[in-house]
Amino acid sequence: MTTGARRRMGVEERREQLIAVALDLFSHRSPEDVPIDEIAEAAGISRPLVYHYFPGKQQLYEAALRRAAEELTARFVEPHEGPLGARLLRVMERFFDFVDQHGPGFSALMRGGPAGSTRTGAMIDGVRQAAYEQIVAHLGIPDPAPRLELVVRSWVSLAETTALLWLDGRRVPRGELERQLVHDFAALAAVSAAYDERMAQVVRRILADEPDDGMFADLVGRLMALPQPV
Amino acid sequence: MTTGARRRMGVEERREQLIAVALDLFSHRSPEDVPIDEIAEAAGISRPLVYHYFPGKQQLYEAALRRAAEELTARFVEPHEGPLGARLLRVMERFFDFVDQHGPGFSALMRGGPAGSTRTGAMIDGVRQAAYEQIVAHLGIPDPAPRLELVVRSWVSLAETTALLWLDGRRVPRGELERQLVHDFAALAAVSAAYDERMAQVVRRILADEPDDGMFADLVGRLMALPQPV
């Protein structure tokens, strides 16, 4: 086993390098289209040596997707300061930065990874759960009622779908979609509020903290004036 | 090989029976929790005989999921008559009927089937595509612009997520969610219309066909009066 002219790396350092190389390749092509030889070559080591650090292709790919999931999750963290609309917009900007950088890898992660394994599925669910918990924390509601949980979780799913659809041709400016998604959150919350007084309280509380020229004020204000559905 | 005291069935008839039995069992438990023995027993035949009709468990399960996908797709078909809001509501009612009847099987289908196989993935994409095409046909727009495509596809995804979340405890009345989803469609379209004149034209055309007391009129009317986002 040789690393050629390069200096010797420790086991953890080499594993990190292979993960970084894999993620870089996955940002241009789907993981299933990237052969292990290419990862080995990009890392400057032999194919058999890759298997010294990861027992198989699946394990290396899962480690890379886990790293991507961690990076994505880190982008949801946002200080609890200022109007909610502005906070959500900053999170959406960082989310689309990630999607933009990791296109094919993001799609693979969200579609269940190369083999749609149970472990990859658990990773995706972990990312969704982290996004859900972040938003609930921003709303300042420790024990969300089922309707609020439904609004937040379905909005997380909407953001995910919108990003996946955007990647397919990038036919709409991403900045527009980032702002739209924040308005969509307000719209979904307001529609739900039309059916439920507890949701209406949540929406009114959000509104009270929004500036008059904020992202939510106008949209939600008009929706909240809607009569109860028949 | 014997079918006991029962009359002999033809090959296609027996395959249909096994699919029906499997779908019935999948309406109570996830496919991965239903052993092939149980399907054999419920069909009144021996386990080895099941393999006479399907080469393996995976093939039988895929045939059952394909049947479920076909049944679900059939429910999207709605006459092109009357206001769009009322049509969408009827489709949502039939959709939730299906989800209600096939709970664990629907979840398994939408989460990629027992093994998350490529074929199951293609089936799910087929269901989503059929839903998308039905809605576009109701809108009467032969060649949808990217923003409209995004609104319709993301709403299809929203309906799917909402149904999956509802199945987890059924903590919100389904009738409420059916109506909410129709309002959500209007809300997503209206938010998009605030960014794009072609979307605004689509929304105005929908509104023109809605009765004053219809599902869309009030909601969309208020949203359409929004100023353009900065």
Side-chain angles (χ1 to χ4, degrees):
Chain A
M1 283 187 284
T2 171
T3 55
R6 300 180 182 225
R7 72 180 178 78
R8 279 196 180 279
M9 289 186 183
V11 172
E12 267 316 300
E13 196 183 356
R14 181 65 84 187
R15 285 176 58 97
E16 288 299 315
Q17 182 212 15
L18 287 167
I19 288 172
V21 162
L23 279 180
D24 186 47
L25 290 167
F26 298 168
S27 68
H28 303 292
R29 269 173 302 148
S30 181
E32 63 217 65
D33 298 331
V34 176
I36 203 98
D37 303 80
E38 205 172 324
I39 296 175
E41 195 185 335
I45 64 176
S46 68
R47 180 196 168 100
L49 195 53
V50 172
Y51 293 113
H52 179 67
Y53 298 101
F54 291 96
K57 177 174 169 168
Q58 180 69 18
Q59 282 79 5
L60 170 54
Y61 287 14
E62 277 184 20
L65 291 179
R66 184 172 306 112
R67 178 63 43 84
E70 287 163 3
E71 279 187 26
L72 178 51
T73 302
R75 306 209 181 191
F76 301 149
V77 180
E78 167 71 26
H80 288 212
E81 290 163 18
L84 184 67
R87 296 185 211 172
L88 286 183
L89 183 59
R90 283 191 295 270
V91 171
M92 283 299 98
E93 284 163 358
R94 288 199 300 271
F95 172 60
F96 271 85
D97 280 347
F98 180 91
V99 172
D100 207 351
Q101 285 159 23
H102 296 280
F106 174 76
S107 297
L109 177 68
M110 287 306 169
R111 292 187 199 279
S117 76
T118 314
R119 278 185 302 278
T120 320
M123 271 183 242
I124 303 158
D125 285 344
V127 174
R128 290 176 183 145
Q129 180 65 20
Y132 167 73
E133 288 173 7
Q134 282 290 335
I135 295 166
V136 167
H138 279 281
L139 295 174
I141 293 164
D143 186 21
R147 283 177 184 81
L148 179 58
E149 183 180 336
L150 197 74
V151 164
V152 176
R153 289 196 192 276
S154 61
W155 182 72
V156 168
S157 161
L158 188 70
E160 187 183 319
T161 309
T162 302
L164 283 172
L165 291 168
W166 173 72
L167 276 177
D168 182 15
R170 307 188 182 208
R171 291 169 292 162
V172 179
R174 55 169 269 199
E176 192 178 311
L177 297 182
E178 292 160 10
R179 296 184 68 85
Q180 263 189 45
L181 278 165
V182 177
H183 280 135
D184 287 341
F185 179 81
L188 295 181
V191 167
S192 180
Y195 288 83
D196 181 64
E197 179 48 32
R198 278 180 75 182
M199 269 306 297
Q201 283 171 17
V202 171
V203 174
R204 276 194 292 268
R205 215 168 47 94
I206 295 173
L207 269 189
D209 295 334
E210 288 289 307
D212 288 345
D213 58 349
M215 292 206 64
F216 281 177
D218 195 52
L219 182 75
V220 181
R222 285 168 195 266
L223 282 165
M224 288 300 291
L226 287 177
Q228 290 293 115
V230 187
Chain B
M1 284 187 284
T2 170
T3 55
R6 299 180 182 225
R7 74 179 177 79
R8 278 195 180 280
M9 289 184 182
V11 171
E12 268 315 300
E13 195 182 357
R14 180 66 84 187
R15 284 175 60 96
E16 288 299 316
Q17 182 212 15
L18 287 167
I19 289 171
V21 162
L23 278 180
D24 187 46
L25 290 167
F26 297 168
S27 68
H28 303 293
R29 268 173 303 147
S30 182
E32 62 218 68
D33 298 331
V34 176
I36 203 98
D37 302 81
E38 206 173 324
I39 296 175
E41 196 186 335
I45 65 175
S46 69
R47 180 196 168 100
L49 194 52
V50 173
Y51 292 112
H52 179 67
Y53 298 100
F54 292 96
K57 177 174 167 167
Q58 180 69 18
Q59 283 79 6
L60 170 53
Y61 286 16
E62 277 184 19
L65 291 179
R66 184 172 304 113
R67 178 62 44 84
E70 287 162 4
E71 280 187 26
L72 177 51
T73 302
R75 306 209 181 193
F76 301 149
V77 180
E78 168 72 24
H80 288 210
E81 289 162 19
L84 184 67
R87 296 184 212 173
L88 285 183
L89 182 58
R90 283 191 294 271
V91 172
M92 283 298 100
E93 285 163 357
R94 289 198 299 272
F95 172 60
F96 271 84
D97 280 346
F98 180 91
V99 173
D100 206 352
Q101 285 159 24
H102 296 280
F106 173 77
S107 297
L109 177 67
M110 287 306 169
R111 292 186 198 280
S117 77
T118 314
R119 279 184 302 278
T120 320
M123 271 183 241
I124 303 159
D125 285 343
V127 174
R128 291 176 183 144
Q129 180 64 20
Y132 168 73
E133 287 173 6
Q134 281 291 334
I135 295 166
V136 167
H138 278 282
L139 295 173
I141 294 164
D143 186 23
R147 283 178 184 81
L148 179 58
E149 182 179 338
L150 197 74
V151 163
V152 175
R153 289 196 193 275
S154 61
W155 182 72
V156 167
S157 160
L158 189 70
E160 186 183 320
T161 309
T162 302
L164 284 171
L165 291 169
W166 173 72
L167 276 176
D168 182 15
R170 305 188 182 209
R171 292 168 292 163
V172 178
R174 54 169 269 199
E176 192 178 311
L177 297 182
E178 291 159 11
R179 294 184 70 84
Q180 263 190 45
L181 278 165
V182 177
H183 281 134
D184 288 342
F185 179 81
L188 295 180
V191 167
S192 181
Y195 288 81
D196 182 63
E197 178 49 31
R198 277 180 76 181
M199 269 305 297
Q201 283 170 17
V202 171
V203 174
R204 275 194 293 268
R205 216 167 47 95
I206 295 172
L207 269 189
D209 295 335
E210 289 287 307
D212 289 344
D213 58 350
M215 293 207 64
F216 282 176
D218 196 54
L219 182 75
V220 181
R222 285 167 194 267
L223 282 165
M224 287 301 290
L226 288 176
Q228 289 293 113
V230 187

